[in-house]
Amino acid sequence: VRFPEDLEDDSTTFNPEYSHQVFGDDEVAFGYKGLKILLYYIAGNLSTFFRVEYTSKVNEKFDCVEADDVESKIREIIPPGFCTNTDDFVSLLEKEVNFKPFGMLLHTYSIHNEEAGEDITYQIYKADMTCPGFREYHERLQTFLMWFIETASFIDVDDERWNYFLVFEKYNKDGATLFATVGYMTVYNYYVYPDKTRPRVSQMLILPPFQGEGHGAQLLETVHRYYMSSPTVLDITAEDPSENYVKLRDFVLVKLCQDLLCFSPGKLMQGFSQEMVTEAQQKLKINKQHTRRVYEILRLRATNMGDAEQSRSYRLDVKRRLIGPYKKKQRELAKMRRCLRPEEMTNQLNQIDLNMQREQLEESFQQLVSDYRRVLERLAQA
C-alpha cells in the first residue's frame, strides 16, 4: 500500500504460493463460508493491517463442531503492533514519508517500466541489527517467507554473523521521495579454518509484484561484488538452493566470469582446468562446483553444436561429470559382490539396469543443455 486508494485496488493484491506452514498440508481453514484473510503492508516500513472476513461460520452450539481459529494462526506469524482498523492504518500511511532505507547503500540501478513509460530507480542496501528500527522492520519483512518459500523458517537475529541485503524502489508521492520494499536476502558467514569465512545465502525473496523484472539478478550480483572485495572471504555458497535460485546463480556467475582470461574460447575448448578454479575463486569467490557449471555454459556458447566433432566432444565432457553418481553405484556393487550371497546380488543388479542408466544420463544431459541455453539467451539480452 502506497496510497489510501490501494486498499480497495485489487490489482495491488497478490496471493500466497504456500500456506501449508500455517494451515497444514491440506491448506484448509475449516468452518467458514466466503472466508477472506486480508493482510495489508505499507510499501516501505511494512506496518501491517490484518482482518478476517466471512459470510458465515459454523457454531459449536448448533453445529457441534468448532471452526478453526484463523486469527490466532496468523498472529503466530505477524509481530505484535499490527492495525485492526482502516483509520489507524491510513494514519500510519501518512507518516511513511519519514521512512528511509536501513544501512549502507551498495548499488543503484534503473529498470524501464513500460506501464509507467519511464525508468524507475532501485537501490540495494546492506543492513544489520544495529541499525535503529531494523529489528522491528525485519520481523515484519520475514513474514513473507512463510507464504513464498516452501520450507521457510525464521532466523536467530541475535547471531551477529547474519548479513541482510535489502532492495528498495524509489517513488514520488506529493513531490516527496519515498521508498518501497522490493525484496531481500539473508547471508550467514560461516567460519573456515584458519582465518576465512564462507558466506552462505540462506533466504532470498523478491516480492511477487516485482518478480520477473531482474531484481534477483541485481541483488545476487551486488552481494557477490560486496564479498569479492573482502580478502577474508573464501567463496560464496547457498543453503539448499531451489531450482529457480540455481538458474539465477548460473546467469549471474556466467556474467561475472565471461571476461576472465581463463574462460576465453580457446581455453574453453581445451577442457575444464585448475586455472579456471583458481582464478574464479581468487577473483570472484566462486567455488569449484559452481565454476564447473560456468565452464560448461560458456563452452556451450563457444561450441558449434552443428559440427559433429565439436558436439560429440562437448557431450562427452559434460557426461563424464554427470556419470559420477553412476560410477559410485558401480563401486558400491563391486563391494557388494564380495559380501552378498548370489541371490542377494541378483536382486541388487535387477535394480540397476544399465540401459536405463544410459537413458537417464542422456535425459540429464539434454535437460542441462536446455537450461544452459536459457542462461545464454538471457545473457545475450542483458
Side-chain angles (χ1 to χ4, degrees):
V1 176
R2 302 183 187 198
F3 305 93
E5 52 268 31
D6 292 344
L7 285 163
E8 305 303 324
D9 184 359
D10 286 345
S11 70
T12 62
T13 299
F14 52 95
N15 300 311
E17 285 180 32
Y18 308 104
S19 56
H20 63 91
Q21 294 177 112
V22 182
F23 293 104
D25 290 343
D26 295 332
E27 299 188 320
V28 168
F30 171 76
Y32 299 86
K33 189 178 282 185
L35 176 65
K36 279 187 178 179
I37 301 164
L38 301 159
L39 279 166
Y40 302 85
Y41 291 83
I42 292 177
N45 72 13
L46 303 178
S47 293
T48 312
F49 171 28
F50 166 51
R51 72 172 192 242
V52 176
E53 296 176 357
Y54 50 86
T55 52
S56 61
K57 175 182 175 181
V58 295
N59 186 300
E60 192 175 6
K61 188 175 177 183
F62 293 105
D63 302 303
C64 301
V65 287
E66 193 176 352
D68 288 347
D69 187 352
V70 168
E71 199 159 313
S72 70
K73 287 178 186 288
I74 301 294
R75 283 172 182 267
E76 285 176 16
I77 297 174
I78 59 175
F82 55 85
C83 299
T84 54
N85 72 69
T86 309
D87 291 343
D88 289 346
F89 188 67
V90 171
S91 68
L92 282 178
L93 187 58
E94 289 166 3
K95 299 173 185 172
E96 179 72 350
V97 68
N98 299 319
F99 173 77
K100 296 290 179 282
F102 303 93
M104 172 176 68
L105 175 62
L106 296 181
H107 179 51
T108 300
Y109 62 99
S110 295
I111 292 176
H112 185 73
N113 185 291
E114 292 289 342
E115 199 176 312
E118 61 182 3
D119 288 349
I120 295 177
T121 301
Y122 300 89
Q123 294 185 326
I124 298 175
Y125 289 77
K126 176 188 172 288
D128 58 47
M129 288 298 156
T130 64
C131 301
F134 179 66
R135 181 182 289 263
E136 293 77 17
Y137 167 84
H138 177 264
E139 282 184 0
R140 298 189 290 273
L141 176 61
Q142 69 179 353
T143 61
F144 287 104
L145 297 176
M146 288 296 168
W147 309 115
F148 296 104
I149 295 182
E150 194 169 2
T151 54
S153 59
F154 293 163
I155 62 175
D156 176 12
V157 295
D158 291 321
D159 190 330
E160 293 175 358
R161 284 176 290 187
W162 285 106
N163 284 340
Y164 307 84
F165 299 88
L166 310 156
V167 188
F168 294 96
E169 175 194 333
K170 290 176 79 172
Y171 71 98
N172 291 315
K173 181 179 178 182
D174 303 327
T177 299
L178 278 75
F179 294 86
T181 301
V182 172
Y184 82 119
M185 178 192 287
T186 57
V187 180
Y188 192 78
N189 295 290
Y190 280 90
Y191 168 70
V192 180
Y193 181 85
D195 58 353
K196 302 278 186 188
T197 59
R198 173 173 280 130
R200 181 189 286 180
V201 177
S202 174
Q203 300 154 328
M204 180 178 182
L205 177 65
I206 301 298
L207 296 178
F210 303 96
Q211 288 175 6
E213 297 178 356
H215 300 293
Q218 290 280 355
L219 177 56
L220 186 56
E221 183 175 342
T222 299
V223 170
H224 255 274
R225 290 190 183 281
Y226 171 77
Y227 287 117
M228 272 158 44
S229 61
S230 172
T232 60
V233 169
L234 184 66
D235 53 38
I236 303 161
T237 62
E239 179 186 334
D240 192 20
S242 68
E243 198 175 307
N244 285 337
Y245 179 84
V246 170
K247 289 174 183 174
L248 176 68
R249 181 175 63 197
D250 282 343
F251 167 72
V252 169
L253 298 191
V254 169
K255 187 182 171 198
L256 289 170
C257 286
Q258 61 182 346
D259 295 326
L260 293 180
L261 285 174
C262 62
F263 289 107
S264 63
K267 292 194 173 181
L268 287 165
M269 301 310 279
Q270 292 170 24
F272 189 54
S273 67
Q274 183 58 42
E275 181 191 4
M276 293 172 183
V277 176
T278 304
E279 196 169 352
Q281 183 168 43
Q282 288 181 353
K283 291 184 178 176
L284 304 175
K285 312 297 184 184
I286 301 172
N287 67 23
K288 183 177 181 179
Q289 182 187 355
H290 300 161
T291 303
R292 171 72 199 203
R293 280 182 72 93
V294 168
Y295 153 76
E296 289 177 4
I297 294 168
L298 288 174
R299 179 161 176 185
L300 177 63
R301 185 170 71 176
T303 299
N304 176 7
M305 293 301 275
D307 180 294
E309 184 53 42
Q310 285 192 35
S311 174
R312 180 177 178 276
S313 175
Y314 180 75
R315 190 173 65 252
L316 289 174
D317 189 45
V318 174
K319 283 188 174 181
R320 269 195 293 271
R321 176 181 68 79
L322 292 176
I323 207 167
Y326 298 102
K327 285 189 170 177
K328 184 183 177 188
K329 204 169 274 187
Q330 296 300 334
R331 288 195 296 272
E332 287 169 356
L333 274 177
K335 289 178 187 173
M336 287 179 190
R337 282 195 181 93
R338 294 196 290 270
C339 57
L340 290 181
R341 294 194 300 275
E343 63 272 19
E344 291 174 323
M345 193 64 213
T346 303
N347 185 41
Q348 286 293 326
L349 285 170
N350 287 341
Q351 294 175 30
I352 305 169
D353 184 290
L354 289 176
N355 286 329
M356 190 183 290
Q357 282 187 14
R358 288 194 193 97
E359 285 174 18
Q360 288 173 346
L361 191 60
E362 179 61 23
E363 200 176 298
S364 297
F365 172 74
Q366 293 298 342
Q367 180 60 53
L368 209 59
V369 168
S370 174
D371 290 344
Y372 288 175
R373 286 194 194 283
R374 278 195 287 272
V375 172
L376 292 172
E377 284 167 14
R378 185 175 179 185
L379 201 64
Q381 294 164 6

